[in-house]
């Protein structure tokens, strides 16, 4: 039996207040706690938990890395018919498109948030339809 109750994705950044606001709008979230300006925690309407920690030396991730190593990133799930609308919202909030080619039912679009962390929009259809064995 696990005693772990939740997982929180923590992003280091120079301006946690600004980055928290970006994700608060996208996730229709509420700020849960703020620890003296050094860390802000957010809970999205769907239960997603994130935190933003001040690190004045934080540098944006390189995506994709030349050595093709795996990096952590956030997948935001969106209904396929809403991908274009959410993309406009994301860019309007300050995200930078990295790769936005459509790929049909399993479409995924990659962006960098205002602090440079990679994240993707993914069609929810690939998560609700059973995969063939």
């Amino acid at each position: 039996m696990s005693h772990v109750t939740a997982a929180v994705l923590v992003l280091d950044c120079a301006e946690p207040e600004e980055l928290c606001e970006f994700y608060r709008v996208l996730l229709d979230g509420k700020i849960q706690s703020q620890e003296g300006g050094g860390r802000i925690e957010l809970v999205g309407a769907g239960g997603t938990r994130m935190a933003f920690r001040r690190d004045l030396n934080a540098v944006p991730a390189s995506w994709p890395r030349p050595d093709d190593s795996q990096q952590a990133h956030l997948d935001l799930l969106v209904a396929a018919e809403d991908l274009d609308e959410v993309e406009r919202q994301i860019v309007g909030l300050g995200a930078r498109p990295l790769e936005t080619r459509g790929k049909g039912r399993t479409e995924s679009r990659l962006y960098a948030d205002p602090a440079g962390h990679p994240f993707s929009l993914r069609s929810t259809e690939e998560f609700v339809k059973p995969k063939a064995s």
Side-chain angles (χ1 to χ4, degrees):
M1 178 170 157
S2 176
H3 296 284
V4 176
T5 59
V8 178
L9 173 65
V10 180
L11 298 177
D12 290 347
C13 56
E15 300 292 337
E17 298 84 3
E18 291 176 16
L19 195 56
C20 182
E21 180 62 12
F22 174 82
Y23 284 103
R24 186 195 66 74
V25 171
L26 286 180
L27 299 172
D28 192 24
K30 299 209 182 312
I31 294 174
Q32 184 172 1
S33 68
Q34 195 164 356
E35 299 173 8
R39 179 182 166 118
I40 303 171
E41 293 189 13
L42 174 73
V43 178
T48 300
R49 298 175 65 105
M50 296 181 73
F52 309 90
R53 189 179 70 89
R54 187 176 313 281
D55 178 354
L56 298 176
N57 296 315
V59 295
S62 169
W63 191 276
R65 294 190 54 155
D67 60 2
D68 202 29
S69 67
Q70 189 71 357
Q71 295 184 18
H73 68 277
L74 179 65
D75 283 343
L76 300 177
L77 306 180
V78 178
E81 63 271 12
D82 295 333
L83 282 168
D84 291 338
E85 180 180 342
V86 175
E87 179 177 55
R88 285 189 293 275
Q89 179 186 25
I90 284 171
V91 172
L93 288 168
R96 179 175 47 92
L98 298 176
E99 184 177 312
T100 57
R101 287 183 291 186
K103 297 180 179 135
R105 186 177 69 80
T106 59
E107 185 168 358
S108 179
R109 302 176 186 186
L110 188 63
Y111 306 87
D113 69 21
H117 303 103
F119 70 96
S120 65
L121 286 183
R122 296 180 66 87
S123 168
T124 55
E125 291 182 26
E126 68 181 285
F127 295 96
V128 296
K129 291 184 179 178
K131 295 182 179 180
S133 301

